[in-house]
Amino acid sequence: MPKQARARRTYELALDAAAAEFSRHGFGNTNLQMVATRLGLTKGALYGHFSSKEEIAARLVAELDDVLRPLPDGAGQPAHRRLHDLVVSLADRIERDVRVGAAVRLVWEEARATGEQPAFWRRLRETVVQLVRQAQQEGGIDASRPAETLADLLVAVPFGVHYVAGATGHADVPGRVRAMWGLLTPLLRGPGAA
Amino acid sequence: MPKQARARRTYELALDAAAAEFSRHGFGNTNLQMVATRLGLTKGALYGHFSSKEEIAARLVAELDDVLRPLPDGAGQPAHRRLHDLVVSLADRIERDVRVGAAVRLVWEEARATGEQPAFWRRLRETVVQLVRQAQQEGGIDASRPAETLADLLVAVPFGVHYVAGATGHADVPGRVRAMWGLLTPLLRGPGAA
Amino acid sequence: MPKQARARRTYELALDAAAAEFSRHGFGNTNLQMVATRLGLTKGALYGHFSSKEEIAARLVAELDDVLRPLPDGAGQPAHRRLHDLVVSLADRIERDVRVGAAVRLVWEEARATGEQPAFWRRLRETVVQLVRQAQQEGGIDASRPAETLADLLVAVPFGVHYVAGATGHADVPGRVRAMWGLLTPLLRGPGAA
Amino acid sequence: MPKQARARRTYELALDAAAAEFSRHGFGNTNLQMVATRLGLTKGALYGHFSSKEEIAARLVAELDDVLRPLPDGAGQPAHRRLHDLVVSLADRIERDVRVGAAVRLVWEEARATGEQPAFWRRLRETVVQLVRQAQQEGGIDASRPAETLADLLVAVPFGVHYVAGATGHADVPGRVRAMWGLLTPLLRGPGAA
DNA sequence: ACCAGCGGGACGCCCCGTTTCT
DNA sequence: AGAAACGGGGCGTCCCGCTGGT
């Protein structure tokens, strides 16, 4: 079935609309009526693009992999720089890209309900640990600290800021993450770098 | 009054059971049937203790204030020590006390859905900012850093670790928070403290 | 859970109401709203007694076995007499007992859709074949005819009459089956019996 | 006009495809998507040939009259012979011609749901009664039996066999009907014909 | 009296027959 | 002609009164 251009556009809009609802209300509390209303469509029309509510969520979650792909302009950069870019862009996209925000919430809800580790988080942690190790070898990060703890800290920061962003009205989340990174810089450099 | 004592006990057990479900599935996806089954009661019996599902949630949320009350043995301690205790105990209780874990999730869901700042988070942030300022005056924390950014970082860490705890199978969350605090110590002390 | 008397009564009434709808409209075209309306209940109330539409159908089908159980007053009777009773009572109950009528339709629809042989029909045919053989040994039925063909004929008659009963406005179906049996009697007795 | 010829062919194929689905699932449980898929068309294309689902069913039912038309080679035959041909060909076509099978099911469902006598059954019964009477006058059938009961029996047999055909895996239905007719022959001939 | 259990009402997802655009 | 959209339910499910057994 060769999809028509309009259908493709509707599909993308539907994904955005669903992401906005999922991000706000979670999977279970989102109803397709609200999504359809956002789109100016009917529920039945949604069914032409997705076969179930779960499929919509799965599509959004599948796009999460993008945020882990090495940033295009990151090649050739030192590891500590790529680490900075990853952490900051993560905080940025979670807050600004509704699809990423929704996907993160969906993954989290699923993980809480089933108790299983989502593939995304495992890969994220592995990526960060590896970057930290690499940066330590390159001298960009103090090698005397355990890489795992550093990685946990660097992952916890953007998610933690996102998690409590409501406390400050979601005001300039990426800016605050950047400021935190500035705080952490001497810590990463190590005691001698002061 | 043994009758009232049993009722009181059932009430507490119901709160625990509800908390376990809320923590796992969130408010909307928790059904009272599961809670009643956990208790060995019927749904109707629950309504003898609570007038609605929302009331159960409200009771749990109301208990959240306890975690902000100054730790009993914290009086007379320096501010940076009380800060440490607050952050670590927060991470600890979120993970170990089902009621706190449930309340945190409920508050968060409410905040996401309505877009309003929960009172709990505002107070938490105020408390931490104040403690940081106090510690800076006492010399326990480097005064050259902005207190707000430091506070945001210190709040983000326990929540961030909690948020991504599923990635590591919830293994020793408090221990990892303590390790992170160890990492952050020199940062807090300031460059000259090395 | 000790069911209360009223619940038990509601359960039976629900089964009857559902049977009436199933018998008239088939499984797929029956909606629980109509069943509930018949009962003066709501759909939600039905859910307290059955967990799904399919379960209601299953309950009705399960009762079909009763019509195959040897008639209580049939013991000691000659086989050809019990055969007569079985065929006539079958036609009778299909037409008069809504539950049996519904179950027969449900079984038939299922068989048509899946292409599999329902257990009920297999047992019915086996029973009739066996009774025919026994009657032939006892001399009640002409032994020179193949038992299978006789059995098929004797099974086809009540179902066929039921199937086309609409052509005559369901007028006195059992009576007509009895008349047919009268016609078939000399056939069964054999040529010499005239 | 090859274009119209192809449309005509598609129309016939659509009727066959719909008949196959109607025969298997009944009217209400048949969805046009399955019919369209069978044809390699889309649902919308079906609406170029039929204006509604009901119209498709109506077309199939309308063709039912054909099976009542006197068999072309039956002219000049004695009535009891034409009766035999009618009964056997009826059983044959119901089982082998999907359109007839579907139409019979559709007519039956309609009759059950509305409680009205379908025209087809009335005409079938009239035809058979008349043929029986004629055969009795011609001496082909024992005149001492009531024609109506004989006709009911002769109609019930093919439909009854069809109805329970699932019990024997639809194995050689026409053959079994022929065998039954053989059994019934002496009955029809009367006692003196032995 | 009291509480389990029965029933009510509402709605969410899914699905389908049908019409409207492209 | 075919894809996209529409609108109307159907089943399942849930939260919650109300009432009849104990």
Side-chain angles (χ1 to χ4, degrees), chain C residues 38-49:
Chain C
R38 253 179 199 264
L39 288 166
L41 292 184
T42 63
K43 275 183 304 176
L46 274 181
Y47 194 76
H49 298 279

Side-chain angles (χ1 to χ4, degrees), chain C residues 162-182:
Chain C
H162 165 67
Y163 194 76
V164 298
T168 53
H170 297 269
D172 190 26
V173 168
R176 284 157 63 207
V177 168
R178 254 178 279 262
M180 287 184 201
W181 184 274

Side-chain angles (χ1 to χ4, degrees), chain A residues 13-15 17-19 21-22 30-41 46 56:
Chain A
L13 289 174
L15 231 42
E21 292 294 327
F22 283 150
T30 291
N31 60 16
L32 295 185
Q33 181 59 62
M34 295 161 66
V35 176
T37 301
R38 251 177 202 265
L39 288 167
L41 293 183
L46 276 180
I56 307 181

Side-chain angles (χ1 to χ4, degrees), chain A residues 165-188:
Chain A
T168 53
H170 296 270
D172 189 26
V173 168
R176 283 158 62 209
V177 168
R178 251 179 281 263
M180 287 185 201
W181 183 274
L183 272 188
L184 293 173
T185 301
L187 169 65
L188 299 172

Side-chain angles (χ1 to χ4, degrees), chain B residues 13 65-66 75 108 116 122 141 157 163:
Chain B
L13 288 176
D65 295 340
D66 294 349
W108 179 74
E116 297 184 5
R122 213 165 37 219
I141 288 187
V157 164
Y163 194 77

